[in-house]
Each structure stands twice: as structure tokens, then as C-alpha cells.
Amino acid sequence: MFIGLLSDSHGRFDPPFRKFFEPVDELWHAGDFGGGLVTAAEIAAFKPLKGVAGNCDDRILLYDYPEHLFWTCEGMKVLMTHIGGSPGHWEPHARKLIEGYRPDIFVCGHSHILKVMRDPRYGFIHLNPGACGLQGWQTVRTALRFHIDNGQLHDLEVFNLPRE
């Protein structure tokens, strides 16, 4: 499975991101779609989409995009929520989810800071794709894509787009 990961689009899904995600099988969005249902629908029309609602999202998104998701992808347990933190600094609600689900991959957004790292305490891979939108302070817009096969995440790529 070839996965594209984005977060914090805040109403934007620009052509450079579409091009980066063109070869992927599925997109995962870690919250703050922005633009109400319009942005989520635009992304879902482009590729199959799994996603969670973020703190800036219209609550109507919760019907299709809950506050957290847990599923299995090619033998790896995936947990996604918008506000999570990072290894050693997990937000309390995220820590409860992590301890309850025991994922192999934990995905979150919110910080607008791209992070890919292993959590030494829980042993999972933490992925935060940063922000692909323009809202916030980041100077580079980012996203990730990677493969998951037979219980292994591999060939991770980072996309960087300078802020307009």
C-alpha cells in the first residue's frame, strides 16, 4: 500500500501536493481540513481518504471524520488523532489512546512541525506530516508519502513546498 499523509490543510489542497500524491493508493489526513466539508470532499474525490477532524474544523466533519481512528494497514496497527504531541511529550488524551490501542504507527498533526521518529517508550513510529496549508507560522509546507507492506513501513519521502 502506498500512502500519502497530510495535515493542517486549512482549506488548501494545491496542485503541487496533488502531483506529489498522484501515485499513492490512499491519503490519510491528520486533521484541520479547513473549509468545512468542501476541502475534505475535494481531497476525497482525488484519492480514497481516511482522516480525523481537527480543533479548527467545523463540527459537521465529525460525521465522516471522527476525533480519532484506529485501523490495520498491511499488518500494521495505525492510530490517528489531530492533537497528539511527540515522544516523551504526549498530550494526555493521546497518551490514553496510545496506551489503549498500542499502535505500530501513531499519526497526528496540529503542531505544523514535520516529525518522523520512533517512540522509545512505546516502540511505535510517530508520524506528523507538518502542515500543507498556509495558516500558521511555518515557512515550508510539508507532506509525507511511504509504503506499508507486510508489517513494514519503508521508502518514506518528504515533500517540501516553500510558503507563498
Side-chain angles (χ1 to χ4, degrees), residues 45-96:
F46 177 68
K47 294 284 180 175
L49 176 64
K50 284 183 171 64
V52 294
N55 62 303
C56 293
D57 283 324
D58 188 319
R59 297 292 92 187
I60 197 163
L61 276 170
L62 288 169
Y63 289 107
D64 295 316
Y65 304 101
E67 290 183 358
H68 73 273
L69 281 176
F70 180 74
W71 73 98
T72 300
C73 178
E74 296 291 321
M76 297 191 84
K77 298 178 292 182
V78 182
L79 175 61
M80 183 189 318
T81 193
H82 182 59
I83 300 175
S86 62
H89 307 282
W90 297 119
E91 188 272 338
H93 179 69
R95 183 184 314 279
K96 287 180 186 176

Side-chain angles (χ1 to χ4, degrees), residues 110-162:
H110 184 64
S111 69
H112 294 213
I113 300 169
L114 181 131
K115 286 188 182 179
V116 175
M117 55 196 309
R118 185 164 296 280
D119 181 283
R121 178 175 178 186
Y122 296 104
F124 57 73
I125 299 166
H126 167 57
L127 300 174
N128 184 327
C132 70
L134 290 171
Q135 184 173 328
W137 52 267
Q138 73 279 1
T139 58
V140 177
R141 299 161 64 193
T142 56
L144 299 170
R145 66 183 184 191
F146 50 89
H147 293 269
I148 300 177
D149 298 300
N150 299 315
Q152 298 292 316
L153 187 152
H154 59 92
D155 296 327
L156 185 136
E157 299 171 79
V158 175
F159 180 70
N160 292 297
L161 181 66

